[in-house]
């Protein structure tokens, strides 16, 4: 009797794990290199037949202007297929953390989606180009639709 009850208990736990793991949307996050105390992040996830992306920027101290941005593009067999519509720059003033608007594309099986945040911030140094940050600061994350 104990074996049967133990077997049922283990089986129900395994079944609960399968159902819990298959229901939710999975998200992936990437980040770029830090630049003048700020770092770009991007998150990509799938939900209800769409792939979403959102960028944000964290700085070690308040910045007068932060400009995180999110871009999402789709590829099939290495060839460009689609790009998310531009939502404009989110922009925040005098904050340490700033998020961009979300962007989305329809999911297509077998496509790879590339989420990018190439945000910038005012670093407060005269004659320093706020809008032109090194490529290494860009946050990139890939998602493959199955």
């Amino acid at each position: 009797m104990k074996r049967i009850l133990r077997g049922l208990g283990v089986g129900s736990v395994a079944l609960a794990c399968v159902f819990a793991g298959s229901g939710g949307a999975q998200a992936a996050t990437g980040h770029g290199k830090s630049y003048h105390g700020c770092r770009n992040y991007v998150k990509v996830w799938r939900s209800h037949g769409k792939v979403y992306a959102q960028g944000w920027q964290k700085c070690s101290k308040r910045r007068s202007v932060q400009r995180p941005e999110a871009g999402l593009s789709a590829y099939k067999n290495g060839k460009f297929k689609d790009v998310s519509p531009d939502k404009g720059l989110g922009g925040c003033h005098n904050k340490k953390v700033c998020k961009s608007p979300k962007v989305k594309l329809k999911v297509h099986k077998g496509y790879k989606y590339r989420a990018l945040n190439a945000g910038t911030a005012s670093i407060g140094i005269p004659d320093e180009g706020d809008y032109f940050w090194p490529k290494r600061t860009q946050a990139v994350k890939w998602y493959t639709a199955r």
Side-chain angles (χ1 to χ4, degrees), residues 42-47 50-55 68-73 83-89 100-106 113-117:
V42 69
K43 177 179 171 183
V44 61
W45 71 98
R46 178 182 178 166
S47 180
K50 302 219 183 292
V51 175
Y52 294 88
Q54 185 172 29
E69 57 183 270
L72 187 61
S73 51
V83 66
S84 60
D86 184 20
K87 293 271 187 153
L89 297 173
S100 73
K102 293 177 191 166
V103 293
K104 63 184 174 182
L105 285 174
K106 187 177 177 184
Y113 295 88
R114 180 180 185 253
L116 171 74
N117 175 8

Side-chain angles (χ1 to χ4, degrees), residues 4-144:
I4 293 171
L5 290 176
R6 188 179 307 149
L8 288 174
V10 170
S12 63
V13 169
L15 192 58
C17 290
V18 167
F19 284 127
S22 64
Q26 292 190 6
T29 304
H31 62 84
K33 298 284 185 184
S34 186
Y35 185 67
H36 291 287
C38 294
R39 179 173 278 185
N40 287 319
Y41 296 84
V42 69
K43 177 179 171 183
V44 61
W45 71 98
R46 178 182 178 166
S47 180
H48 304 291
K50 302 219 183 292
V51 175
Y52 294 88
Q54 185 172 29
W56 72 95
Q57 188 177 68
K58 286 184 184 180
C59 295
S60 58
K61 61 182 181 178
R62 293 181 185 268
R63 297 294 181 183
S64 59
V65 179
Q66 287 178 286
R67 305 179 255 335
E69 57 183 270
L72 187 61
S73 51
Y75 300 83
K76 184 172 184 179
N77 298 327
K79 294 185 180 183
F80 175 77
K81 291 294 182 184
D82 200 1
V83 66
S84 60
D86 184 20
K87 293 271 187 153
L89 297 173
C92 299
H93 298 283
N94 295 317
K95 298 211 177 225
K96 286 185 177 183
V97 178
C98 182
K99 289 188 175 185
S100 73
K102 293 177 191 166
V103 293
K104 63 184 174 182
L105 285 174
K106 187 177 177 184
V107 172
H108 295 284
K109 189 176 177 182
Y111 278 32
K112 285 188 173 190
Y113 295 88
R114 180 180 185 253
L116 171 74
N117 175 8
T120 61
S122 174
I123 53 178
I125 299 173
D127 298 326
E128 185 75 25
D130 286 344
Y131 287 97
F132 304 104
W133 279 22
K135 189 174 180 177
R136 69 180 184 273
T137 64
Q138 296 178 3
V140 177
K141 196 65 184 178
W142 287 88
Y143 172 81
T144 302

